[in-house]
Every structure is written in C-alpha cells, then in structure tokens.
Amino acid sequence: MYVSEKAKNIKASTTLAIDSKFKAMKAEGLDVVGFGAGEPDFDTPEYIKKAAIEAIQTGKTKYTPAAGTMELRKAVAEKFSRENGLTYEPTQIVVSNGAKHSLVNAFMAILNPGDEVIIPAPFWVSYPEMVKLADGVPVIVESTEEADFKVTVDALEKVLTAKTRALVLNSPSNPTGMVYTKDELQKIADFAVKHDLYVISDEIYEHLIYEGKHVSIASLGEDIKNRTIIINGVSKTYAMTGWRIGFAAAAPEIAKIMANVQSHASSNPNSIAQAATVAALSGGKEEIETMKKAFVERRNYMVERINSIDGVSCKKPNGAFYVLMNISKIKGRTIAGKLIRTSDDFAELFLQEAKVAVVPCSGFGNDDFVRWSYAVSMETIKEGLDRLEKFLA
Ligand code: PMP
Ligand code: GLU
C-alpha cells in the first residue's frame, strides 16, 4: 500500500501502548497491576469541574480563537509572571490540546528539513518522533546514572554541528525525575545563546518537585528567554490528563507561527476545558500539596524497596512521579524459561508472568532501565513490588 515514508517511520508511543495493554488485560478480568502511563490517580479538583459545568450552562460551547480564549491566555501569562517571574503578553501564549500538541506545534514552527535537535537521553518517548514529524533530525546525547542523568555542556558541544537548531530540556524529567539546578541551567543557557539555538523547555512537572526548586531556563535573562519555547500544561499539576489542555510561551513571531499551524490542524482546544483551566490556574494550591505529599511517601517507599531487592537498583528522583529501575544485572538471566536480553523482554515477561505493567526504556533511549510510575495508590505499589520480589527470586 502506498503510504508516507515519514509517517511509516514514526514509532507508536510505548507509554500509551503499555497503558492500553494493561487496561485491556484488566477489562478481561486479569489480576494485573499497572505502573505504565504517568497520570495522577487523583481526581480533578471539584472547583475545576464546577467551572466546566458552569461553562456548559453559560454557553461557552462555541469555537474560540485558535490559540485559546483571551481570558485563558491572560490567566496563563499571569501564571508565568506569578510563578516563574516571566513577563509575556497574552499574544505570546498558545493554548493547545495537551502539552504534547504544544510540543508538536513548537517543532513545526522552528524546523526546516534536516535541522538537528539535541535530545538528552533518557528522554520522554515522544520527543524524537515529534522532531521527525517536523522533518527534523533527533540527535541523542547520553547521560549516565552516576551523573544523575544530567548532561553537561561538554557533552552538548560534542554533538553540535552547523545544522543544530534546538535543544530539548525537560526538568523535572520524565523518565529520570531529575531536576536541574539554577547553576546547571545557567551553563546550558549560555551554551544555547552562544550557538544561537532554540531551547524547547518542557516544564510540565514544575510543581512536582520534592527536593530543590523549579527554575525556568527562560528566567535567566532576555537572550535566553527570546530563544526559549516553554511548554507546560494542566495534565499533571491539576490531575487533568483527560481534559487535554497544554500551553506554550514563546517570542511573538514563534507564537504566531505556532498559532497559525494549529489553526489548520485542530482549531481551538475544547472550549469547556479552556474555561476549566482558567479556574485551575487561578485557584489555590491545596490539592497540589495533598498530591505531592502522597507522591513523596510513595516515592520513598518504592525507592527503598527496589534497592532492597537483589539484582535491581534505582536512584532517588527529586521530581515528577517516575522511578527508573536499573535492570542491567538482570539482562542475560533466564526467568521462567525465558532469556531476558532487553528491557522489552523484561517488561513483557514481567507482565506475562507477574501481571505487572512497567514501561521498558528502550523507547526512552536507555535499554538498561524500566520505568515505574508512582502516581498510583500505595496499595498498588506494595503489590507491584511484592510481585517483583517473587519474580526475581
Ligand atoms: N511532556 C512530558 C515530559 C510528559 O511526560 C507528558 C505526559 N503526558 C507530556 C509532555 C504531555 O502531556 P499532556 O499532553 O497530557 O499535556
Ligand atoms: N506522559 C505520560 C507518560 O509518559 C503519559 C503518556 C504519554 O502521553 O505518553 O507516561
């Protein structure tokens, strides 16, 4: 069949694939526990739901400007000013169908065929595929567990070419949970300015930091702000994954191109979800604090348990809600008659034999790891780790 070569080369999202496998097994009545897709197990706060109901009742049910309502873009600009010390005009804000969509718009806006984008590994599974969709070339920079999965400017310099256009930064990181400090960000900002690169700064986990503090790289000076496209959204912070609202802030020219691209691809994001997001951004942070408290407790328990089990280990992440488990010592072992060679083998066998869904990091750029999400109940975490212990014994 005649199809697009570009589209044919796009891989399916591993996170979503594992999640749908897990949900299908559960629907079949199997006793399966899931640590796949990262989405808070908490419900969307009541005041946000109320705002959505009110939006329906007051007729906010029509097309809005493609880049989002002025009310929401103002609320987003205020959020950047209040929380990140950044000044943006509402016209520099583009609201999209989730941060995923914001990222696609960003790459579409800045890349020409063959342009290279540096992506530090381990990376969130979608970045390289998004770059390819926009005719760009992903260039992966490795980082090590010993260095807390952080990249240095030295490593970045090594992959720089005349075609390098942009760098992806994701702090706190999915999947590593690491958080860059202000000093580290300053070095990366200097590098980006020196080489005239864009920075795509995905800050969607900014409120889920347990040690340290979030700093937006864009706040480190006008030069870096002008070349940074900040990506954020409400999925994680407000437990609103299904509502599909993300947003970007960028230099006026870039924001305009992103909005134009979106005006043809999808028009405005859902008008009711936009109204709910105005309420979310303007509300208090009590619910976030409650979620954070639960996440810290779960993270601590998960990290301690994993490090007490023979053959596997993990670092303690400072943010987001994922733990990367090192399985390099398990590779080469035979479990239940099957040889484990890759993280895919591990994840598949663990799901088949122990009925536990974790995400193999083959798709995240480091095959020595699998990812556990701790945005699930403590009970589920205990069950999953009990099963891991038995599986490896
Ligand atoms: N960036 C990162 C790092 C993520 O983990 C996710 C997870 N969904 C997204 C962006 C996209 O989020 P959403 O589309 O739900 O806003
Ligand atoms: N970002 C989440 C994850 O990594 C949700 C799934 C997805 O959007 O890929 O699991």
Side-chain angles (χ1 to χ4, degrees):
M1 203 174 286
Y2 187 85
V3 296
S4 147
E5 283 303 314
K6 178 169 86 177
K8 207 170 79 181
N9 285 325
I10 302 297
K11 293 185 215 120
S13 160
T14 339
T15 44
L16 297 183
I18 296 282
D19 191 52
S20 74
K21 212 170 187 174
F22 159 71
K23 283 175 180 155
M25 285 172 80
K26 212 169 163 119
E28 267 176 52
L30 293 169
D31 174 25
V32 57
V33 281
F35 299 87
E39 67 176 339
D41 53 323
F42 296 94
D43 197 4
T44 305
E46 215 45 51
Y47 75 96
I48 300 175
K49 290 189 195 172
K50 264 201 197 131
I53 292 165
E54 206 177 288
I56 295 175
Q57 287 169 340
T58 54
K60 291 186 177 164
T61 53
K62 309 282 188 203
Y63 289 136
T64 76
T69 61
M70 202 27 91
E71 192 189 7
L72 177 51
R73 280 186 281 167
K74 271 189 192 149
V76 172
E78 277 159 22
K79 168 248 163 326
F80 279 118
S81 162
R82 192 174 61 238
E83 296 177 358
N84 309 100
L86 286 163
T87 307
Y88 289 107
E89 291 300 321
T91 48
Q92 292 178 263
I93 309 294
V94 182
V95 184
S96 303
N97 299 287
K100 213 175 229 182
H101 187 200
S102 306
L103 283 158
V104 170
N105 285 338
F107 291 122
M108 296 282 268
I110 61 168
L111 297 180
N112 283 301
D115 282 350
E116 295 177 2
V117 179
I118 303 176
I119 305 175
F123 45 76
W124 179 46
V125 64
S126 291
Y127 298 138
E129 307 310 305
M130 289 166 166
V131 168
K132 289 195 266 173
L133 271 175
D135 290 324
V137 179
V139 173
I140 309 303
V141 178
E142 308 290 338
S143 68
T144 63
E145 193 178 21
E146 295 72 41
D148 285 336
F149 300 110
K150 289 180 180 179
V151 284
T152 59
V153 167
D154 273 356
L156 295 174
E157 293 274 4
K158 284 200 181 101
V159 297
L160 197 71
T161 75
K163 289 190 171 167
T164 311
R165 287 288 163 268
L167 162 72
V168 174
L169 199 67
N170 176 214
S171 176
S173 154
N174 174 7
T176 71
M178 66 82 196
V179 180
Y180 280 100
T181 63
K182 189 174 175 188
D183 283 353
E184 289 161 345
L185 288 173
Q186 185 65 61
K187 290 190 181 110
I188 294 173
D190 293 345
F191 165 83
V193 171
K194 179 174 160 199
H195 298 289
D196 194 18
L197 306 180
Y198 285 109
V199 175
I200 311 290
S201 182
D202 182 345
E203 303 179 11
I204 195 151
Y205 295 99
E206 78 169 315
H207 288 294
L208 301 177
I209 294 188
Y210 316 110
E211 289 91 20
K213 185 172 161 282
H214 175 73
V215 176
S216 173
I217 192 166
S219 68
L220 300 178
E222 272 309 297
D223 277 351
I224 187 66
K225 183 184 170 212
N226 284 336
R227 59 188 69 246
T228 299
I229 306 178
I230 301 184
I231 306 290
N232 209 323
V234 290
S235 284
K236 320 288 174 179
T237 307
Y238 299 96
M240 289 175 72
T241 46
W243 299 68
R244 310 308 305 129
I245 296 288
F247 43 83
E253 306 87 307
I254 304 286
K256 186 159 189 284
I257 298 173
M258 288 173 68
N260 287 349
V261 168
Q262 175 163 305
S263 76
H264 293 290
S266 66
S267 302
N268 62 276
N270 180 296
S271 60
I272 297 146
Q274 286 192 62
T277 299
V278 173
L281 294 178
S282 322
K285 295 273 186 284
E286 299 83 45
E287 278 90 352
I288 306 177
E289 287 310 315
T290 309
M291 273 202 311
K292 261 175 77 171
K293 244 171 121 180
F295 288 151
V296 175
E297 202 182 312
R298 296 166 184 183
R299 175 202 62 172
N300 293 349
Y301 177 82
M302 189 179 259
V303 168
E304 212 176 303
R305 276 290 302 273
I306 287 177
N307 284 321
S308 74
I309 297 172
D310 241 13
V312 290
S313 62
C314 68
K315 281 247 170 170
K316 192 182 204 172
N318 298 129
F321 39 55
Y322 308 102
V323 166
L324 272 193
M325 181 171 82
N326 190 322
I327 55 153
S328 57
K329 289 191 184 139
I330 306 295
K331 282 160 81 176
R333 259 212 225 166
T334 299
I335 297 179
K338 298 221 173 71
L339 175 64
I340 295 178
R341 276 166 306 187
T342 61
S343 64
D344 288 299
D345 290 347
F346 179 94
E348 202 172 308
L349 197 64
F350 196 29
L351 183 57
Q352 233 173 56
E353 292 292 320
K355 305 278 178 296
V356 179
V358 293
V359 185
C361 287
S362 49
F364 290 72
N366 194 327
D367 196 50
D368 280 344
F369 297 89
V370 295
R371 189 192 80 176
W372 296 72
S373 159
Y374 52 86
V376 295
S377 74
M378 197 63 159
E379 199 187 350
T380 302
I381 293 174
K382 284 185 178 154
E383 181 61 30
L385 292 165
D386 286 348
R387 291 188 192 190
L388 174 71
E389 212 161 5
K390 271 198 210 120
F391 177 72
L392 294 178

